[in-house]
Amino acid sequence: MIYLDNAATTFPKPQSVRRAAANSVMTMANPGRSGHRPAMAAGEMIYRCRVKASEFFGAGSVENVIFTPGCTYSANMVIKGLLKSGDHAVVSDMEHNAVMRPMHTMSEKGVAYTIARTGETDDETLASFRDALRSNTRLVICTHVSNVWGQRLPVERIAALCRQYGIPVMTDAAQSAGVFPINAEENGIDFICAPAHKGLYGTMGTGILIARHPELLKTITEGGTGSGSLSLSQPDFPPDKFESGTPNVPGIAALSAGLDFVKQTGVERIHDHEVKLVTYLYDRLSKMSSITLYTPRPNAMRNGGLLSFNVGNLSSEETAAYLFEKGIAVRAGLHCSPLAHRRYGTEKRGAVRISTSYFNTMNEMESAARAISMIAR
Ligand code: PLP
């Protein structure tokens, strides 16, 4: 099988990641609860992962690294932990339902929000965000890279704009973490939400929240933390304030090894490789008359390693099913991002998404191009 659904989760995982997850299951116990060796080993591993993640994302301090069950959970923590009735928020028109559904829930609780339209240029996108700001705007959310169209949004410039007004900024880095550099301190981003299992090559069901201003967040879950157990009140210091219950030790062990893999390989190298792959495919597809490509040719500054398209009058699901018959795994449909599809008029039909990882090759792109051209004919 040629796996081209890496935006859903990267597959395969590096051997070091598989080993780290297996090793944690065989040697580690519940951290922070007991003083015996397997518990201590887990606690030390988690601390090391926190240090690596803090450096990787520019968290400013290890306490600002919060482990979560996924990017969705991280986004919920920020949206529900920060906003309250009477507040206003701004979101981009490329947001995933990981952002839109909690925003919708908050809108039923008196939070208003405005959708800022992405433009053809970063200047236009920035202008949309500027126009959307109000005196009661308490949060601005902008995905870093669209999970449908692969384009990068100017989060750093949006953060600089919001800093002038003292408005916190959250970015959904689900498709960029490990593929584009992102640094909370340097870029002035207050909250970065990221999954461990995509570009960081960890395992599913693990995520991270980088909270440069954890004091702005109320908790959305409380429980045992192994600290301050006599008190019924949740600890008020991070990360304990936000990490109740037994942590996902194998997931964090895998993330730790995934961060090493990305660091050793180099974010720039991974990005260049993936963009080369999708650019090659784009050029091949753009010569086929019955293929609809919705976005401009990928560009190293503006794109991650994914590309969406449709073939003739086929539904995106039909094309994906044909490709799977030919041994190529891709994703069709709406990719949990109806707004992003509405932006390009594909909300009824969806689109076929090809998404790459560092492990894909040019030969695989050629096989995909040939298979698509057979379907197109
Ligand atoms: N945000 C974007 C842009 C995504 O692509 C995804 C996953 O596909 C998510 C959020 C949700 O990530 P998770 O499933 O790890 O919670």
Side-chain angles (χ1 to χ4, degrees):
M1 181 186 65
I2 297 176
Y3 183 83
L4 294 173
D5 193 17
N6 292 282
T9 194
T10 44
F11 178 86
K13 304 298 178 189
Q15 203 180 40
S16 56
V17 167
R18 288 180 264 161
R19 269 206 213 108
N23 179 55
S24 76
V25 174
M26 290 184 289
T27 63
M28 293 177 193
N30 206 334
R33 272 59 170 173
S34 324
H36 51 71
R37 192 166 346 117
M40 299 291 278
E44 282 160 21
M45 180 279 292
I46 290 176
Y47 184 75
R48 281 197 301 276
C49 186
R50 236 186 262 287
V51 171
K52 287 179 205 174
S54 174
E55 283 167 11
F56 189 84
F57 286 107
S61 139
V62 284
E63 289 80 28
N64 295 347
V65 174
I66 297 156
F67 294 117
T68 70
C71 188
T72 303
Y73 199 90
S74 305
N76 271 265
M77 284 171 75
V78 178
I79 293 167
K80 294 177 179 166
L82 194 148
L83 294 169
K84 58 181 189 329
S85 179
D87 288 347
H88 172 256
V90 179
V91 302
S92 84
D93 62 359
M94 289 292 145
E95 299 306 319
H96 188 277
N97 277 342
V99 166
M100 293 315 297
R101 285 192 170 152
M103 273 311 311
H104 177 71
T105 299
M106 293 311 285
S107 76
E108 292 176 332
K109 295 181 178 173
V111 172
Y113 68 91
T114 304
I115 299 171
R117 187 180 157 86
T118 49
E120 298 307 318
T121 63
D122 287 352
D123 286 346
E124 284 173 24
T125 303
L126 196 68
S128 301
F129 272 87
R130 188 182 289 113
D131 291 348
L133 298 180
R134 294 191 199 158
S135 57
N136 62 336
T137 304
R138 298 281 174 265
L139 181 64
V140 167
I141 301 178
C142 183
T143 197
H144 195 194
V145 170
S146 162
N147 69 312
V148 181
W149 307 112
Q151 84 270 38
R152 173 193 191 182
L153 275 66
V155 173
E156 300 83 352
R157 292 181 63 189
I158 290 165
L161 169 75
C162 292
R163 206 160 44 246
Q164 293 171 27
Y165 301 98
I167 303 169
V169 171
M170 173 194 125
T171 192
D172 174 348
Q175 299 298 336
S176 63
V179 180
F180 271 109
I182 182 150
N183 188 298
E185 281 216 307
E186 282 170 20
N187 304 138
I189 297 167
D190 302 278
F191 302 102
I192 299 178
C193 303
H197 63 100
K198 300 185 197 266
L200 299 179
Y201 292 91
T203 52
M204 290 174 275
T206 321
I208 230 172
L209 170 62
I210 304 296
R212 255 193 342 128
H213 291 290
E215 72 283 0
L216 296 179
L217 302 183
K218 295 192 300 289
T219 53
I220 61 168
T221 9
E222 297 85 30
T225 57
S227 54
S229 298
L230 271 179
S231 170
L232 285 183
S233 299
Q234 186 73 2
D236 62 358
F237 52 89
D240 295 29
K241 179 176 172 186
F242 303 104
E243 289 183 355
S244 294
T246 301
N248 179 351
V249 172
I252 297 170
L255 170 61
S256 191
L259 283 165
D260 289 340
F261 172 79
V262 169
K263 200 170 162 200
Q264 279 153 19
T265 310
V267 170
E268 214 176 277
R269 195 154 130 213
I270 293 172
H271 174 249
D272 286 355
H273 176 70
E274 292 190 18
V275 173
K276 265 191 202 120
L277 295 177
V278 290
T279 306
Y280 176 81
L281 188 65
Y282 189 97
D283 289 344
R284 293 279 272 113
L285 299 192
S286 60
K287 295 192 184 88
M288 301 177 197
S289 57
S290 54
I291 304 285
T292 308
L293 288 159
Y294 299 90
T295 44
R297 186 172 189 263
N299 155 333
M301 291 300 291
R302 278 186 66 113
N303 289 83
L306 74 86
L307 179 64
S308 292
F309 62 95
N310 273 310
V311 180
N313 292 323
L314 295 179
S315 72
S316 57
E317 285 84 4
E318 282 172 312
T319 304
Y322 282 132
L323 283 171
F324 192 63
E325 273 174 25
K326 298 185 188 319
I328 298 172
V330 301
R331 180 157 170 199
L334 296 180
H335 318 94
C336 300
S337 299
L339 279 186
H341 279 281
R342 209 163 291 149
R343 172 75 176 76
Y344 287 89
T346 49
E347 72 266 39
K348 289 215 171 71
R349 193 175 177 198
V352 183
R353 182 182 73 185
I354 285 194
S355 53
T356 57
S357 85
Y358 189 66
F359 295 114
N360 290 120
T361 64
M362 213 44 115
N363 282 343
E364 290 178 331
M365 290 298 120
E366 179 53 31
S367 302
R370 281 201 197 139
I372 295 165
S373 99
M374 278 167 69
I375 298 167
R377 270 189 266 126

